[in-house]
């Protein structure tokens, strides 16, 4: 570690690394390559951990997972080969509003200017081709080609990543790395301010007024909470809004875990036609859905069944909103939530201790969370009662028996008694899982049986849930698990458990990242099952090579005492495992093979698969 | 298998699969996904093998490897997630002139038109984003959105892939798959014809005349042969040209194995300043370099040292050429080679039995090779002797003692006597390897120590060499090894051995494709070593997690008798292994861990690394 106060200038790449550290990133993901080796000298020098993933796609997934826990993350790759390998992960972060700062090493400006036929190019002297590809899945790309503009460009990239909650890509030529930057620039506040231009303030005001007007006009309004664009800088505001609001609350699939299931107004999970009867009944009666951070994808709406149309939808996204078809741009979800809390909420309840990393407890004060003065400004309660609406709310309040999903998301699946040696089925597994989960768990569900089955699981308080209901890239969660587990360890809450549910086919995509998990001594629980639905249940093309998974940790270099493997075939096996303290406490990596009948699947996935099959056919 | 003669129409995707089969592809690489499952029903129905890789990047690498052996290959992925994951591999095939037909499954036209928020999209209703990204690394993209235009678009895509020897991407909406296509269209010749428009014929004629003129004017001309754009449809023509020409022949790095080292005029490997002294001496004296299928990259010219400049360069590429700075486009290397053989060659020698898959021995007659009537037209010898040139050629012919590289590519590295228990060094290993290689071997060298060390290896006749001296994507060869081994088995020469040399860090990138190798019962020899040069020899960021590699085959499902692992620490160990018949005959998968001192590296890589370090610094 260097004492920067004694220096007049620092190197350009140091500036970037220190900025990265200032905004709360502790570990940087990526893979070394010819053009970024000089970069990497600075990472550890600046007190950051270099993760060193096995490949760039996994590194990108891991950076996504790290950002979902930490609030933001950084990824370093090399132009062309590395950059393109990570592109699927970056596109996923873009689709799912995950803020990742992607730093791409380019050859020297001299080589670019001379159009040299370097390796990692197409041999045509064009050094912009891949930049154009990255641009399509980044909310900003910045090319650092001068030390004079570098600090502004870097700060603006970080600010944009944070405001938009989406990836930015910073290209740095190898000969820029050591250029001098004035040290005093670092003493400015990290580039996370969000001063709104006057136009945006007006836009914001108009949106809030419109929303309040619509809510006042509505007879049966309901809140529908998703997870897109919330995690980074808006979670506390969401908690405050939900805690103060009296409207019924539904969680979208991406909002699982984000919405505290013990909230008095929480009803359950809305996922289209496969929702529980009480949720369907509620949605049938509502005339206004205030959707916050939700995207209505085919997978999260059970094939668009019960999609909420524009005529009764207020759709508030990270930086834009749509009220019954009318668009508002350049707003910010954070400000909107604060205003809505003030306008629609009751007296401010005690703020829920945030399930997110509380940055203020970290060693260095960070500026990611909106100024607390804004969030804590005493709010004025505004009377919005109307008679028919009262009726609706009273119906909701008095019908706990009819809305049994208040505390459990899936009670419409019969609660089996414990049945000894019976084989494990998906419906049994996911409904029983909730009993073993505990406060603060980080839970990852790979797209497939896990991401649908888990709709039947009751989440504990402060759980954080990672899944991709929009991008749905198979293999995402094994990399994301590494990133999430590392972010948890980097946080002020390092005892959080990280628990991954993945199919064996998905595990094959990115299995080597188990090696990175082992290398950094991370101790997630990884459970893997099988999947074979949608189309071609019997076709050979859906077969995968049967692996002896139990050998993987040792093959990837885990020491004998540093991991445990388990083979679980019956409900009794699983209950026994759940009762083992060493397993439950996550002191070492746990690797669990869950045997589930090949054609068994969660009921809701069977229904969804039918819908997809019909559309494919 | 279906008897197509009894049907009036076939389904659109059947048309594509049958065309793929007609051009000589037997196995299709890829990964199943939601939108392509309907595709995959047709693959096996049409008599093609579905490979089913572990992930799309590896599948792309494997398709590249398959194409380099088979002449052309096919890859099937899903829009977005799969397509982007494969993009680095496709970009590599584009850079390195490898013909891969990439078929991407898109959602139905209805879903696209309605701009539905489907999974595997960015959620913005735009279904063209990824197509624009793929377009930058494809020589043609085709969107199949009507059964009427489909046959023409498909045929044109296949033709372009073949003519350009680069990837094409065909996008097919899921609801197009079963559309009817007139069966009789299949009876037309597979779309590999290359009728030249009149303008191109003129261009071709002008190029050939110019080349002949330059060769006649030159005092000391030399041929420099690379491997870019040769493999597919031009190898036989190259063999005929080299066999009939009297000019000295140098191989570029990418031309290793492509040029028969027993040719009387073969001098050695030209790789810039790290070439052998005799080659450097020769290059110093030449006034004209006729470069065929070569790209002067930093890696293959030892950091541009001894780059041949325009003033003495004739550069003939797949579809364009440059003669001393003057450009010719829309030519084809195949036609040019035939014309040069006729104009510059001696009497046509007996055609070397092609080291490439001889398609005429396959079950179905294929049209990939240029019409034999063209290639075998009796050629007219043209006197090109000039006195000073005679002098040069005589000097060359009489100086075998001075050009000792005639039969060995690396005799400038001292030939050690066998030295018992001594540890293995790179320089020892690569110079001794040639003795154990045998005719027809397929040899893969991962970018790094292997791809440089192997410059010191004497290749056997008919060897095929796979490496990426331009794209240099780490991890490429493990996927490519699967594809190459499968292509060899699919060919008329299934007893060819496939031998991979890879560093352990590179192996980690794509290790799971060992599973696909095991699944299909392929039996390559895989040897892995370590690497750590260029920058940061001691830095932690260059560390990798130490694996227990010997467990990998079993972890990936290999049966006990289906593989052998070996740990080789000394020269004696290696000699013993090389003398084992079971090892040498490749009856099962062989997995060899080669222990080489961490900081040892091939001498030429040390020199190149120094050059790269200087440019990075």
């Amino acid at each position: 570690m260097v004492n920067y106060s004694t220096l007049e200038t620092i190197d350009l790449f140091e500036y970037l690394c220190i900025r990265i550290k200032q905004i709360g990133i502790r570990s940087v993901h990526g893979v070394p390559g010819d053009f970024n080796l000089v970069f990497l000298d600075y990472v550890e020098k600046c007190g950051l951990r270099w993760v060193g993933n096995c490949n760039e796609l996994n590194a990108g997934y891991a950076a996504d997972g790290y950002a979902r826990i930490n609030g933001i993350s950084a990824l370093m790759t090399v132009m062309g080969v590395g950059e393109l390998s990570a592109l699927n992960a970056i596109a996923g972060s873009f689709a799912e509003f995950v803020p990742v700062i992607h730093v791409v090493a380019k050859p020297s400006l001299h080589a670019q200017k001379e159009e040299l036929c370097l390796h990692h190019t197409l041999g045509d002297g064009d050094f912009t081709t891949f930049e154009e590809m990255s641009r399509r899945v980044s909310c900003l790309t910045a090319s650092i080609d001068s030390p004079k503009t570098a600090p502004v460009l870097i700060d603006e990239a970080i600010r944009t990543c944070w405001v938009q909650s989406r990836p930015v890509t910073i290209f740095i030529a190898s000969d820029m790395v050591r250029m001098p930057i004035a040290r005093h620039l670092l003493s400015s506040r990290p580039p996370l301010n969000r001063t709104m231009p006057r136009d945006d303030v007006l836009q914001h005001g108009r949106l809030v007024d419109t929303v309040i007007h619509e809510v006042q006009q509505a007879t049966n309004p309901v809140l529908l909470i998703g997870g897109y664009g919330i995690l980074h800088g808006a979670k506390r505001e969401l908690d405050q809004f939900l805690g103060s609001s009296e409207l019924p609350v539904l969680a979208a699939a991406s909002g699982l875990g984000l919405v505290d299931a013990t909230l008095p107004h929480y009803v359950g999970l809305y996922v289209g036609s496969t929702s529980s009867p009480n949720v369907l009944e509620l949605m049938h009666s509502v005339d206004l859905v205030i959707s916050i951070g939700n995207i209505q994808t085919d997978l999260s709406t059970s094939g668009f069944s019960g999609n909420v149309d524009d005529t009764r939808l207020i759709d508030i996204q990270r930086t834009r909103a749509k009220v019954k078809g009318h668009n508002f741009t350049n707003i910010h979800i954070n400000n909107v939530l604060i205003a809505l809390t003030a306008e629609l909420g009751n007296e401010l309840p005690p703020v829920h201790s945030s399930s997110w990393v509380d940055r203020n407890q970290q060693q260095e004060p960070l500026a990611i969370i909106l100024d607390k003065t804004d969030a804590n400004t005493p709010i004025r309660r505004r009377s919005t009662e109307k008679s028919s609406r009262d009726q609706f709310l009273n119906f909701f309040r008095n019908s706990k028996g009819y809305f049994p999903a208040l505390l459990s998301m899936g009670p419409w699946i019969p609660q089996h008694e414990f049945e000894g040696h019976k084989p494990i089925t998906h419906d049994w597994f996911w409904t029983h899982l909730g009993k073993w989960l505990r406060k603060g768990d980080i839970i990852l569900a790979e797209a497939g049986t896990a991401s649908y089955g888990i709709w039947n699981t009751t989440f504990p308080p402060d759980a954080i849930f990672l899944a991709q209901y929009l991008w749905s890239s198979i293999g995402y969660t094994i990399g994301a698990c590494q990133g999430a587990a590392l972010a948890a360890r980097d946080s002020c809450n390092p005892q959080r458990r990280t628990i991954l549910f993945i199919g064996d086919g998905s595990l094959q995509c990115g299995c080597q990242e188990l090696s990175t998990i082992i290398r950094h001594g991370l101790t997630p629980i990884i459970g893997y099952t099988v999947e074979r639905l949608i189309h071609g249940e019997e076709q050979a093309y859906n077969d995968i090579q049967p692996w002896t998974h139990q050998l993987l940790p040792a093959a990837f270099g885990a020491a004998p005492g540093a991991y445990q493997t388990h083979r679980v075939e019956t409900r009794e096996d699983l209950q026994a495992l759940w009762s083992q303290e060493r397993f439950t406490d996550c002191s070492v990596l746990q690797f669990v093979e869950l045997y589930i009948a090949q054609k068994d699947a969660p009921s809701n996935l069977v229904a969804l698969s039918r819908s997809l099959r019909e559309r494919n056919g």
Side-chain angles (χ1 to χ4, degrees), chain A residues 6-77:
Chain A
T6 61
L7 301 171
E8 281 307 303
T9 64
I10 53 169
D11 293 353
L12 190 151
F13 209 80
E14 267 176 304
Y15 181 86
L16 175 62
C17 287
I18 294 169
R19 279 306 204 201
I20 283 173
K21 197 179 170 196
Q22 282 179 328
I23 60 169
I25 296 169
R26 293 287 169 271
S27 302
V28 174
H29 289 84
V31 180
D34 288 354
F35 306 135
N36 74 7
L37 293 181
V38 186
F39 286 20
L40 305 186
D41 288 338
Y42 292 95
V43 171
E44 296 198 357
K45 182 181 173 190
C46 295
L48 294 164
R49 180 188 293 105
W50 174 248
V51 177
N53 295 86
C54 291
N55 66 43
E56 286 90 352
L57 179 58
N58 290 342
Y61 289 151
D64 181 297
Y66 191 93
R68 290 189 194 225
I69 303 304
N70 184 65
I72 193 163
S73 70
L75 170 71
M76 292 186 189
T77 66

Side-chain angles (χ1 to χ4, degrees), chain A residues 192-361:
Chain A
L192 301 179
N193 59 313
R194 210 165 14 82
T195 48
M196 284 196 288
R198 179 154 174 75
D199 281 357
D200 297 353
V201 173
L202 289 173
Q203 190 78 194
H204 166 83
R206 273 197 294 269
L207 170 64
V208 172
D209 287 347
T210 309
V211 172
I212 289 164
H213 175 75
E214 291 294 338
V215 172
Q216 285 171 339
Q217 295 297 316
T219 309
N220 299 344
V222 70
L223 295 170
L224 175 60
I225 309 300
Y228 299 107
I230 300 288
L231 71 95
H232 182 192
K235 175 63 169 64
R236 177 180 296 221
E237 290 70 21
L238 179 69
D239 284 345
Q240 285 178 328
F241 175 59
L242 295 183
S244 71
S245 158
E246 57 182 3
L247 300 176
V249 180
L250 294 166
S254 63
L256 263 177
L258 196 65
V259 181
D260 182 350
T262 63
L263 275 177
H265 302 285
Y266 180 67
V267 184
L269 183 69
Y270 181 61
V271 285
S273 60
T274 56
S275 307
S276 63
N278 58 316
V279 169
L280 288 174
E281 177 96 3
L282 172 68
M283 282 301 282
H284 189 69
S285 70
V286 303
D287 60 346
L288 183 68
V289 176
I290 305 147
S291 169
I292 299 174
N294 181 39
I295 300 174
Q296 300 189 99
T297 73
D298 54 346
L299 299 188
S300 65
T301 60
S302 305
F304 300 122
S305 66
N307 222 24
V308 181
D309 63 38
D310 272 0
T311 61
R312 54 173 189 155
L313 181 64
I314 294 175
D315 179 22
I316 300 169
Q317 297 287 342
R318 180 78 178 184
T319 59
R320 61 180 177 76
K322 199 173 184 182
V323 180
K324 294 191 172 177
H326 187 70
N327 287 309
F328 295 81
T329 52
N330 295 328
I331 57 102
H332 198 279
I333 200 165
N334 194 313
N335 297 339
V336 175
L337 285 169
I338 291 166
L340 292 182
T341 305
E343 300 290 332
L344 293 178
N346 291 306
E347 294 292 335
L348 190 67
V351 174
H352 240 260
S353 118
S354 171
S355 64
W356 245 247
V357 177
D358 186 346
R359 301 181 168 288
N360 295 310
Q361 291 180 31

Side-chain angles (χ1 to χ4, degrees), chain A residues 174-188:
Chain A
S174 60
D175 51 354
M176 284 293 108
V177 172
R178 292 180 178 144
M179 289 286 164
I181 301 286
R183 190 187 63 76
H184 71 85
L185 292 172
L186 276 177
S187 58
S188 72

Side-chain angles (χ1 to χ4, degrees), chain A residues 475-507:
Chain A
Y476 158 72
T477 54
I478 177 73
C481 174
Q482 179 264 294
L486 185 57
R489 198 177 66 185
D490 280 356
S491 77
C492 57
N493 201 357
Q495 72 284 4
R496 273 180 189 282
R497 304 190 302 183
T498 303
I499 304 160
L500 163 63
F501 301 102
I502 188 168
D504 54 356
S506 303
L507 182 62

Side-chain angles (χ1 to χ4, degrees), chain A residues 428-429 432-433 436 573-580 583-584:
Chain A
W428 181 89
F429 176 76
H432 283 73
L433 173 66
W436 172 76
D573 290 348
L574 191 58
Q575 296 278 11
L577 189 64
W578 279 342
S579 66
Q580 282 180 28
F583 175 76
T584 289

